[in-house]
Amino acid sequence: MTAKRRRVSRREQHRRGGTGASVTVRNTLIAYAFMLPFLVLLVVYHTWPVVFGTYLAFTEYNIISPPKWVGLANFRELFADEQFWSGLRNSLKYVLVVPVIQVISILVALLVNRPLKGIGFFRTAYYVPVVTSFAVVGLIWSWLYKQGGAVNSLLMALGLMHGDHSLLDSPATALFAVMFVTLWKGIGYYMVLYLAGLQGISPELEEAAVIDGATRAQVFWNITLPGLRPTILVCSLLSTISAVKVFEELYVMTPNGYPAGSTYSALMYSFSKAFGGDFNFGLAAAASMVVAVVSILFGLLNFRLTRGGRTDA
Amino acid sequence: MPETSLPQEVLQRDRHAQVAARLKVARRRRQGLRNLVAYAVLTVIALIMLYPFYWTLITSLEPTGNIYEVKLLPRSFSLRNYAEMFSGTTVPFWRLIMNSVVICALGVTLTTTLATLAAYPLAKMRFPGRDLIFYAILILMVLPNEAGLIVNYITTIKLGLLQQTSPAADMIRQYLAVVLPGAASIVGLFLLRQAYLGVPLELIEAARIDGAPELTIWRRIMLPLALPTIAAFAILEFVAYWNSFLWARIMLPDKNMLPLSAGLLELSGTFSTNSRAVMAGAVITIIPILVVFLMGQKYFMKGLEGAVKG
């Protein structure tokens, strides 16, 4: 009886990843010594920004004099500023990328999941934009978008564009031109994740369905897609949040909301308030906080729409 | 009439075989056609993905001509743009490359070491506060950290990392200012904890009974067994540090201290008269990433999958 209980408790410890070693002061100290450098940097550069950033949002602060508590003044200023609203609207527009990038990535993943010769080359090729910096990718695309450049030539050849002008120079198209770059750069990333998801679906299930006479479309809608649901949740969550927070690609390709503020995003507003010359860190922190709240809301909405990633729904 | 029954049967069997063969041929042809379509689509996507890089490469190799036009081959060839970059007369290009190398070496070493150390107790030791720490870290991963840029800027200044005393000390502090904010990687901790959890407990217990210190167990048992994950994580970090530009560009007032991709952006502004030279710079910036990515591709993909599954 006691032997059995001991065995159970050992197994219990094992399950929790514990060891046979007892919890002693010495062992605790050793454990914390292992984690100390990591934890120090974690607190300084990850925890502290959340805490201090929240505090800053309610203060007036420019680094030189200490923060002065101003209550909701920053938020009032923010919500009265048309520039912030236009930035927020652009950030929300950017969410348009999400369904497009997810659908294309799933299709591409299905395509590269086929056992074709040389498929490794294609997978690698699609991943190259992912590993390239936005600094480089943004520069390359701003050249491609130039007057007389590759994109214009293609669009004019297809009859989709009349009159040669850079897409990045027109307020009507600049944001969409940057969106396309985000799409182009992101497909490979989500493709890999969906590929992993596809490989987690048991092939027996699909084979059984085919033997029972299911068509390819039926197999896709009834087996493959439900099997991918957890991956779809993770991917659309990731891409929604990064769409609301869009910044780097805009920063490189359309600095300062060029042209005519049409590419201002909410985070770019925050950035320019802090580093654009006036060092208004309080207002910048408030803007960041709004972006954070909006991205949390969108994340939750995403959860609802994909039904929490359940496979039984 | 004896011929009718037997040949009839043979004939029938023969007909069946013919039908089967025809079906097989049709299926193979259909499969072949489907593969052909698949290859066509794959190629079109590959062109869209790779042409921008290819175009940059060939344009950077041209000395003169209509710069932004579409082309399949360079109209003329010269290494002048590369020579201009490397000569460093207009930009401290070698300096930027050195900055990138130092930042990457420092960043990857620090990040990997900290994560491999910190994940060990979380996976294989029992101590009070373990679950609390783990969940606190998870929450940090979920919480959006938009204020990060702003507060980290303030922290960096308050820590005195941008102080100016002596050239050598300034340099070290500025490198640290670039590297430190990313050095505690929550994703890395997570990946490595997962990898350690798979190491058999018997191995560690045996070593403990033999009286091995924990640091030795970590170095001699955990590190070798988690090596594929560590390699994947190190490659991910290399790519991240090599590609980072925003933080360094905000933080560092001294343009000589910028890493390559941040320097490239700086160039594109101040050097706008010679876009071809900037293109050469872009090509040079991409090459190390491509080399590392192609060499470690197997690990890299695995690390990425782990990052999501974990």
Side-chain angles (χ1 to χ4, degrees):
Chain A
M1 193 64 192
T2 32
K4 194 178 174 191
R5 194 182 300 151
R6 192 154 61 222
R7 207 159 50 233
V8 169
S9 80
R10 275 288 283 274
R11 198 177 298 144
E12 177 68 7
Q13 280 178 359
H14 193 112
R15 194 181 60 75
R16 287 200 232 126
T19 74
S22 56
V23 179
T24 62
V25 175
R26 191 169 165 276
N27 288 343
T28 307
L29 284 178
I30 292 173
Y32 278 95
F34 268 90
M35 297 185 298
L36 188 68
F38 187 95
L39 289 181
V40 168
L41 286 176
L42 190 80
V43 168
V44 171
Y45 289 109
H46 294 266
T47 315
W48 179 241
V50 176
V51 176
F52 191 57
T54 309
Y55 167 69
L56 275 186
F58 300 96
T59 66
E60 200 180 291
Y61 185 51
N62 57 5
I63 281 203
I64 298 155
S65 39
K68 199 178 92 197
W69 185 265
V70 292
L72 291 172
N74 286 326
F75 292 94
R76 270 197 294 275
E77 187 179 344
L78 204 61
F79 293 133
D81 191 345
E82 178 44 35
Q83 207 183 20
F84 175 72
W85 282 113
S86 106
L88 197 58
R89 273 196 301 274
N90 284 335
S91 292
L92 297 185
K93 262 190 228 166
Y94 224 85
V95 176
L96 278 177
V97 172
V98 177
V100 183
I101 201 170
Q102 297 310 319
V103 170
I104 296 180
S105 303
I106 291 174
L107 292 178
V108 172
L110 286 170
L111 199 63
V112 299
N113 196 31
R114 295 167 71 99
L116 292 171
K117 245 183 230 138
I119 202 71
F121 164 77
F122 291 103
R123 288 183 192 170
T124 311
Y126 302 168
Y127 207 76
V128 171
V130 181
V131 289
T132 315
S133 166
F134 257 124
V136 173
V137 157
L139 277 177
I140 291 181
W141 276 93
S142 52
W143 293 321
L144 292 175
Y145 279 133
K146 280 266 161 57
Q147 204 166 15
V151 175
N152 289 12
S153 306
L154 184 70
L155 288 179
M156 292 203 310
L158 293 173
L160 291 171
M161 191 173 153
H162 309 283
D164 195 359
H165 61 271
S166 165
L167 293 175
L168 288 176
D169 288 336
S170 154
T173 53
L175 191 69
F176 294 98
V178 180
M179 273 184 198
F180 181 79
V181 178
T182 306
L183 187 73
W184 172 83
K185 193 180 190 295
I187 284 172
Y189 179 74
Y190 295 109
M191 173 199 78
V192 171
L193 301 184
Y194 282 119
L195 206 53
L198 282 175
Q199 274 152 15
I201 299 171
S202 100
E204 288 88 28
L205 219 58
E206 292 179 352
E207 274 161 31
V210 170
I211 288 167
D212 288 347
T215 63
R216 287 172 148 259
Q218 281 171 332
V219 171
F220 175 75
W221 288 109
N222 297 315
I223 294 170
T224 315
L225 207 57
L228 277 183
R229 192 163 270 158
T231 319
I232 295 175
L233 172 73
V234 171
C235 290
S236 55
L237 205 63
L238 285 174
S239 71
T240 309
I241 291 173
S242 59
V244 175
K245 300 199 298 197
V246 59
F247 176 60
E248 279 185 318
E249 48 267 63
L250 293 169
Y251 174 79
V252 177
M253 297 173 68
T254 56
N256 302 315
Y258 175 86
S262 63
T263 61
Y264 243 112
S265 78
L267 213 54
M268 193 181 248
Y269 177 90
S270 161
F271 179 85
S272 67
K273 288 298 165 194
F275 307 111
D278 44 0
F279 295 98
N280 196 341
F281 288 108
L283 188 61
S288 294
M289 213 169 143
V290 174
V291 177
V293 170
V294 172
S295 64
I296 289 174
L297 289 179
F298 263 80
L300 291 176
L301 186 74
N302 222 301
F303 235 99
R304 284 296 295 268
L305 288 180
T306 47
R307 291 180 219 141
R310 273 177 293 141
T311 41
D312 56 357
Chain B
M1 302 291 178
E3 316 140 34
T4 48
S5 70
L6 197 77
Q8 194 80 48
E9 208 175 281
V10 170
L11 219 70
Q12 184 126 25
R13 211 184 299 147
D14 203 40
R15 211 178 295 133
H16 284 174
Q18 270 177 8
V19 170
R22 216 167 29 233
L23 280 175
K24 209 181 269 175
V25 167
R27 202 175 63 201
R28 202 173 298 150
R29 195 178 297 148
R30 214 165 45 229
Q31 191 63 41
L33 202 71
R34 219 175 262 149
N35 284 352
L36 210 68
V37 173
Y39 276 120
V41 178
L42 285 167
T43 308
V44 169
I45 303 174
L47 282 177
I48 299 172
M49 293 300 174
L50 296 181
Y51 182 75
F53 296 105
Y54 175 71
W55 176 86
T56 309
L57 174 69
I58 56 178
T59 310
S60 71
L61 290 170
E62 293 175 343
T64 52
N66 188 350
I67 182 164
Y68 296 120
E69 73 178 342
V70 199
K71 53 195 161 276
L72 293 177
L73 288 170
R75 302 249 189 267
S76 49
F77 179 86
S78 118
L79 290 174
R80 206 179 71 189
N81 301 311
Y82 288 85
E84 188 164 344
M85 270 291 129
F86 280 123
S87 71
T89 43
T90 31
V91 273
F93 205 65
W94 288 108
R95 183 58 198 272
L96 297 182
I97 290 176
M98 188 192 89
N99 292 339
S100 269
V101 170
V102 173
I103 286 168
C104 273
L106 199 65
V108 173
T109 312
L110 207 60
T111 313
T112 323
T113 311
L114 293 189
T116 47
L117 273 173
Y120 177 46
L122 288 175
K124 293 290 179 198
M125 288 187 199
R126 288 184 63 203
F127 58 90
R130 185 180 75 173
D131 294 345
L132 188 79
I133 288 182
F134 187 65
Y135 288 119
I137 289 170
L138 282 190
I139 288 172
L140 272 181
M141 191 151 89
V142 179
L143 269 185
N145 191 14
E146 272 63 67
L149 220 54
I150 298 163
V151 177
N152 286 347
Y153 178 82
I154 298 167
T155 306
T156 306
I157 289 178
K158 297 280 182 202
L159 287 176
L161 290 172
L162 297 186
Q163 260 171 23
Q164 300 201 340
T165 48
S166 68
D170 292 353
M171 205 155 91
I172 295 167
R173 275 200 305 264
Q174 289 188 49
Y175 285 137
L176 281 177
V178 175
V179 166
L180 283 180
S185 163
I186 300 173
V187 173
L189 186 78
F190 208 83
L191 281 177
L192 283 154
R193 182 177 167 272
Q194 295 295 107
Y196 288 164
L197 284 177
V199 175
L201 206 59
E202 288 74 20
L203 229 56
I204 299 163
E205 275 177 352
R208 279 187 186 141
I209 288 164
D210 288 348
E214 293 291 337
L215 202 63
T216 310
I217 299 176
W218 171 75
R219 211 183 64 227
R220 303 279 291 274
I221 298 175
M222 302 308 272
L223 285 193
L225 289 176
L227 200 61
T229 309
I230 296 173
F233 178 57
I235 296 168
L236 280 170
E237 285 301 309
F238 174 82
V239 172
Y241 277 108
W242 187 268
N243 281 342
S244 69
F245 64 96
L246 192 63
W247 175 242
R249 208 163 182 242
I250 297 169
M251 274 254 323
L252 302 179
D254 181 357
K255 300 306 170 213
N256 279 324
M257 289 301 297
L258 289 178
L260 199 51
S261 37
L264 193 71
L265 272 187
E266 207 64 36
L267 280 180
S268 70
T270 55
F271 211 110
S272 53
T273 43
N274 192 353
S275 292
R276 273 183 225 277
V278 181
M279 287 175 196
V283 172
I284 297 164
T285 311
I286 298 170
I287 286 171
I289 285 291
L290 283 188
V291 171
V292 169
F293 169 61
L294 288 176
M295 281 192 325
Q297 192 205 350
K298 211 173 64 195
Y299 290 132
F300 192 88
M301 296 280 182
K302 213 175 127 202
L304 237 158
E305 286 165 19
V308 165
K309 279 188 193 157

